[in-house]
Amino acid sequence: MSKKEKQTMPEQDLPEEKETSAQPGQETAAEAPAEPDYYEKYVRLSADFENFRRRTEREKAALLAYGKKDFVEKLLPAYEVLLRQQAKMQKQTISQECAEEMKNLLGGIQMVLGELDKAFKSEGIEKMDVVDTPYDPMKEECIATIPSSSKQDGMVLEEVQMGFMMDGQVLRPARVVVGKAGEEA
């Protein structure tokens, strides 16, 4: 066909190029759909599993710590009674006011307290020493104030209930009496 004939031919007779060739950026029906990316799915699944493993390890550690804390809080009152009784008996022993049986009882109390101290120390539990220190509301609970000299203003003068720390955090705050200068009785 010559150029003149193509120009004079009606448009219907010309073959359309649109149907046979795809325009750039468009897929044709003859192409297969893209296959799923299994490697990407594997990487995501692997990361999800690793996150799950870490989360469960953290939750397990938190549950164990909570259980330990709960158990120790139940033991603390008995431990405190033993400590106070030991101190009282030591004062009596020093002043020679007790019989031989009391001295043996004191020895038994000291052995029990020694074992409890070892167990508490291995679990990170320690008694707070608060007497003659500045009052710290983050570690202590003030239940009373009493008149004192200006040197003792804001200082813990007496410990009513012992306080304990576990792993650097307050397990049970100490209940204390704090001195306040300038108060009249």
Side-chain angles (χ1 to χ4, degrees):
M1 254 189 203
S2 70
K3 287 183 180 179
K4 277 189 172 183
E5 291 177 349
K6 282 184 182 179
Q7 289 175 356
T8 58
M9 283 176 78
E11 288 184 26
Q12 319 172 18
D13 295 336
L14 290 176
E16 293 185 10
E17 294 178 8
K18 290 182 184 177
E19 293 177 7
T20 58
S21 66
Q23 293 181 353
Q26 291 183 346
E27 293 182 12
T28 61
E31 285 185 33
E35 291 187 28
D37 189 4
Y38 291 114
Y39 180 75
E40 184 178 322
K41 286 182 179 182
Y42 167 75
V43 169
R44 286 179 188 261
L45 183 63
S46 177
D48 286 344
F49 180 73
E50 185 65 24
N51 291 337
F52 171 75
R53 187 185 61 77
R54 288 181 188 153
R55 185 177 66 244
T56 54
E57 285 178 5
R58 282 192 309 265
E59 289 172 355
K60 180 180 174 184
L63 284 173
L64 288 173
Y66 178 75
K68 179 173 72 170
K69 178 183 174 193
D70 191 41
F71 178 70
V72 168
E73 284 176 339
K74 291 176 184 175
L75 282 179
L76 289 180
Y79 180 69
E80 183 177 3
V81 167
L82 283 173
L83 284 174
R84 291 190 186 278
Q85 191 61 39
Q86 176 194 22
K88 183 178 178 182
M89 291 175 78
Q90 282 177 337
K91 286 179 186 175
Q92 289 176 350
T93 303
I94 290 171
S95 64
Q96 306 296 330
E97 294 177 10
C98 65
E100 190 65 31
E101 291 177 15
M102 288 295 263
K103 290 180 183 178
N104 291 337
L105 182 62
L106 177 60
I109 289 175
Q110 289 173 336
M111 286 191 299
V112 169
L113 285 173
E115 291 301 314
L116 283 172
D117 286 337
K118 285 181 195 175
F120 283 172
K121 192 173 196 174
S122 70
E123 295 297 325
I125 299 163
E126 56 191 40
K127 181 185 173 300
M128 290 189 277
D129 294 322
V130 295
V131 178
D132 295 328
T133 61
Y135 172 67
D136 182 2
M138 299 302 289
K139 295 181 179 179
E140 301 146 9
E141 180 181 335
C142 179
I143 59 169
T145 58
I146 58 173
S148 65
S149 67
S150 61
K151 285 183 179 180
Q152 294 177 327
D153 186 34
M155 299 292 283
V156 174
L157 301 179
E158 184 182 339
E159 181 180 50
V160 177
Q161 183 182 37
M162 295 177 184
F164 293 89
M165 303 278 287
M166 183 170 83
D167 299 326
Q169 296 181 351
V170 176
L171 180 63
R172 182 175 85 177
R175 291 188 174 170
V176 297
V177 175
V178 178
K180 188 167 185 180
E183 272 192 15
E184 295 296 324

